[in-house]
Amino acid sequence: MSLLQIVEPQRLYRQIAGQLRALISQGELAVGSRLPAERDLARQLGVSRPSVREALIALEVEGWVEVRTGSGVYVLDRSSQASRVAARSPQIPADEWGPLELIRARRVVEGEIASLAATEAKRKHIAAMTEALAAMQSDADQGIMPLEGDRAFHTAIVESCGNVVLIETVQRFWDSRRSPLFERLTGYFETAHSWRAAIAEHEAILQAIRRHDPAAARLAMHQHMDNSHTRFSVSWRQAQKLKDPV
């Protein structure tokens, strides 16, 4: 792994993925071999572990590696027939945002939006937030990922601010959740337990807005985003334990 180089912080996960892809293509990382642990890759590359995780997920989506939760990340065979299968794998657009980086951006923007909403929200907006939260709870109770209610909740918050730029910005955030990169990441780390925790965090945001407390609303949104980032950053082994039935 001596050929790894320090990368610059611009579309960081793509640069990391590019270096690993090159090592695989050159045979430095052999087919079937297990990649070094995230913490070791992060140390050699001079980047954070979340950025390495985004890169590994991107490589898996594109058919270069396989993530085996509880075991590690392994190089796939892209030769002959296997290469034709890999060629049909989705390609990550060059301008695709990294999911964990997106959460950090949302923390900044939506924290201030929640604070503003606590000042500007009218009864109809709070009613929309309440309805969206109830929809999230209903879906979670049925074992359905409550994404529609989640989006409706955050949309109701930003709509209460009456700023089209902010509304379209939050909509762009949510559109990014439909990317193969984000969907693959959530497939590993979103569980019934994590959604229950997220719903409680949404309730705290709603209560702060309902009390018209800007500081508390900002803090509740920051805590929600910080917790979301943490949930997506746990070890693969821990993620597997959370998914395994007790």
Side-chain angles (χ1 to χ4, degrees), residues 3-234:
L3 297 179
L4 290 173
Q5 304 169 9
I6 299 295
V7 296
E8 297 298 325
Q10 183 179 10
R11 282 290 189 274
L12 202 51
Y13 80 90
R14 294 192 64 84
Q15 296 183 56
I16 298 167
Q19 288 202 44
L20 294 173
R21 193 183 298 113
L23 291 175
I24 294 171
S25 298
Q26 295 162 10
E28 295 287 336
L29 294 170
V31 170
S33 66
R34 185 172 64 182
L35 269 62
E38 281 183 357
R39 63 178 179 275
D40 297 326
L41 287 171
R43 184 175 61 253
Q44 294 183 59
L45 289 159
V47 299
S48 68
R49 288 179 65 175
S51 294
V52 170
R53 172 158 299 181
E54 290 174 337
L56 294 176
I57 292 293
L59 289 174
E60 185 185 34
V61 169
E62 293 180 346
W64 288 89
V65 301
E66 177 187 8
V67 175
R68 302 176 192 169
T69 53
S71 178
V73 181
Y74 293 81
V75 178
L76 291 178
D77 182 5
R78 293 176 63 88
S79 62
S80 62
Q81 183 177 355
S83 66
R84 291 193 291 273
V85 174
R88 294 197 295 270
S89 300
Q91 298 300 299
I92 306 298
D95 61 350
E96 191 68 61
W97 290 338
L100 294 168
E101 193 173 33
L102 172 60
I103 291 171
R104 286 304 192 200
R106 288 185 61 193
R107 183 188 193 276
V108 175
V109 176
E110 293 195 55
E112 293 309 308
I113 288 173
S115 175
L116 183 60
T119 301
E120 301 295 332
K122 305 295 189 295
R123 287 183 181 179
K124 65 177 182 180
H125 301 122
I126 293 175
M129 296 173 210
T130 303
E131 182 179 350
L133 186 58
M136 289 181 68
Q137 186 65 64
S138 176
D139 281 350
D141 290 344
Q142 298 175 64
I144 301 170
M145 285 203 305
L147 291 175
E148 291 304 317
D150 194 4
R151 178 170 186 152
F153 182 84
H154 288 273
T155 298
I157 292 174
V158 71
E159 285 181 345
S160 72
C161 300
N163 185 300
V164 173
V165 175
L166 290 177
I167 292 171
E168 292 181 355
T169 297
V170 170
Q171 288 175 342
R172 172 76 191 280
F173 288 160
W174 276 92
D175 289 342
S176 295
R177 281 194 63 117
R178 297 195 183 103
S179 73
L181 190 60
F182 210 119
E183 289 183 351
R184 186 66 60 93
L185 188 68
T186 58
Y188 285 120
F189 297 101
E190 284 188 341
T191 65
H193 174 77
S194 70
W195 273 112
R196 284 194 293 271
I199 289 170
E201 292 157 15
H202 284 72
E203 177 66 31
I205 296 167
L206 174 58
Q207 291 304 325
I209 294 174
R210 183 178 281 135
R211 295 195 309 270
H212 302 290
D213 187 335
R218 180 189 297 108
L219 177 60
M221 184 65 78
H222 283 173
Q223 290 176 334
H224 171 48
M225 293 301 167
D226 289 343
N227 291 339
S228 295
H229 194 277
T230 298
R231 286 189 282 268
F232 284 125
S233 301
V234 300

